[in-house]
Amino acid sequence: MRATGDNARGLAVEAAWIAAHLALYPASALRRQPDRDDEPYSLDDLPPLQRGLQVRAPDAAGTPILLVHGLVDNRSVFIRLHHQLRRRGFRRVRAVELPLWTTTVEDGARLLADSVTAAAGDGGRVHVVAHSLGGLVARYHVQRMGGDRQVDTLITLATPHGGTRLAELVPRALPYPLLAQLRPGSPLLAELSRPAPGCRTRFIAVAAGRDTVVRPPQAALEHPDLNSVNITVPGLGHHSLAFNGAVARQVAGWLAETVPSELLDGGVAQQQALGPGVGAEVDRRLGRIPHPAGGDDDTEAEAVMGHPVALA
């Protein structure tokens, strides 16, 4: 790495989130997540962010969201994303636990298929958000097992769609076929590059600009038959991408069917711009709202949304 300030900051952030991930990992491995669907029949007790989604996009709020972790990992990698989705009104957010003994992408895809079918029910649809290897598992399910009938949106975070050269450092004599599938040009990746006409799932592939495990070009999804968008978020690494608050908020926006229009700092997309004159009027009104002292961006957003000037 070049000894620059940006690289040093990126490395520090990545190291901090790896440490936090390791601290959370044992509890997530030992304690199973309860399977429950919160279906509130009243909006009275909901905070503004949740109430807004329930009113504006009830179908999006009720669509199941499955979180799929990566290699030798568990749901702890999604602890922040899970919290952000729940507090924004998504009622049915579940983690899919891939066993540590999963030996191939195909085995993981079959396990995921059972979870997708259970969550979707009869004729329903789900969204999937997957990190690293989990994205390949979900993509195989969608492309090669007919999963596009049930998976509406697949968002992959730092997924090695083009493989990862780190897998080539593992001795080929090691009897672990999953690692061989992650090598660039592997038979599995060649299978995923085959034609997939009529695939109904939309794909959003998010790469981390400072990822040394899956470099941004390897995390891009390039396939002529797939409805896909590739986005690189600068300044983040392989683990910090999954824990980043701005990324979590953007994922929530995509799943709430926010229209992406332009890239912000070459990375995360933002909502479609307001018409001429409307944006200036909104800025003028919001400028009169005092910001809560010491509040984070979510607290501030709730205060702004609930203020009489904003509601007007």
Side-chain angles (χ1 to χ4, degrees):
M1 291 182 63
R2 294 190 302 274
T4 66
D6 287 343
N7 283 338
R9 283 190 293 273
L11 182 61
V13 170
E14 179 74 355
W17 279 116
I18 289 176
H21 191 183
L22 291 175
L24 295 167
Y25 189 99
S28 297
L30 295 174
R31 187 177 65 251
R32 289 187 56 83
Q33 183 185 33
D35 291 332
R36 62 182 178 88
D37 291 338
D38 290 338
E39 299 285 351
Y41 292 94
S42 171
L43 303 178
D44 295 342
D45 297 330
L46 296 179
L49 285 175
Q50 293 187 18
R51 189 185 309 129
L53 184 65
Q54 301 278 2
V55 172
R56 181 174 60 86
D59 289 342
T63 300
I65 301 172
L66 302 182
L67 308 177
V68 186
H69 61 75
L71 180 65
V72 196
D73 207 343
N74 61 26
R75 59 188 171 88
S76 60
V77 73
F78 290 119
I79 189 167
R80 188 169 193 180
L81 176 60
H82 186 280
H83 173 73
Q84 292 282 358
L85 291 173
R86 292 283 301 176
R87 78 187 305 266
R88 277 167 171 74
F90 294 97
R91 304 192 300 268
R92 305 174 63 187
V93 184
R94 297 178 181 175
V96 177
E97 299 280 2
L98 298 178
L100 291 177
W101 57 85
T102 302
T103 56
T104 66
V105 167
E106 295 91 332
D107 288 343
R110 283 187 283 270
L111 291 172
L112 175 60
D114 294 337
S115 298
V116 169
T117 299
D122 187 15
R125 304 276 283 176
V126 304
H127 301 307
V128 177
V129 183
H131 178 247
S132 196
L133 172 70
L136 278 184
V137 169
R139 181 182 168 191
Y140 192 92
H141 167 63
V142 167
Q143 273 188 248
R144 308 302 299 172
M145 299 174 61
D148 63 312
R149 294 190 301 268
Q150 295 173 305
V151 178
D152 182 82
T153 302
L154 171 56
I155 300 176
T156 64
L157 306 176
T159 288
H161 293 291
T164 170
R165 295 196 177 277
L166 288 183
E168 295 181 336
L169 301 178
V170 179
R172 293 179 180 267
L174 185 68
Y176 193 29
L178 182 58
L179 290 177
Q181 292 181 322
L182 299 181
R183 297 189 181 108
S186 70
L188 174 89
L189 298 181
E191 182 180 356
L192 289 175
S193 67
R194 294 176 187 170
C199 183
R200 287 160 284 191
T201 299
R202 66 167 179 163
F203 295 83
I204 302 174
V206 185
R210 299 193 184 280
D211 193 339
T212 57
V213 178
V214 181
R215 301 298 299 162
Q218 297 172 322
L221 176 52
E222 304 289 350
H223 194 295
D225 294 333
L226 300 183
N227 176 17
S228 61
V229 175
N230 293 306
I231 292 174
T232 298
V233 182
L236 297 179
H238 191 73
H239 287 82
S240 53
L241 180 70
F243 285 98
N244 183 265
V247 173
R249 288 188 290 275
Q250 186 58 54
V251 167
W254 285 323
L255 297 182
E257 300 179 353
T258 295
V259 180
S261 61
E262 59 187 41
L263 299 184
L264 184 61
D265 294 331
V268 177
Q270 61 182 358
Q271 294 185 12
Q272 189 175 25
L274 297 173
V278 178
E281 176 63 15
V282 170
D283 290 340
R284 185 184 68 80
R285 294 192 181 193
L286 294 184
R288 294 157 51 192
I289 302 175
H291 296 285
D296 60 13
D297 52 356
D298 295 323
T299 304
E300 188 171 297
E302 291 182 7
V304 168
M305 290 175 63
H307 195 279
V309 174
L311 295 177

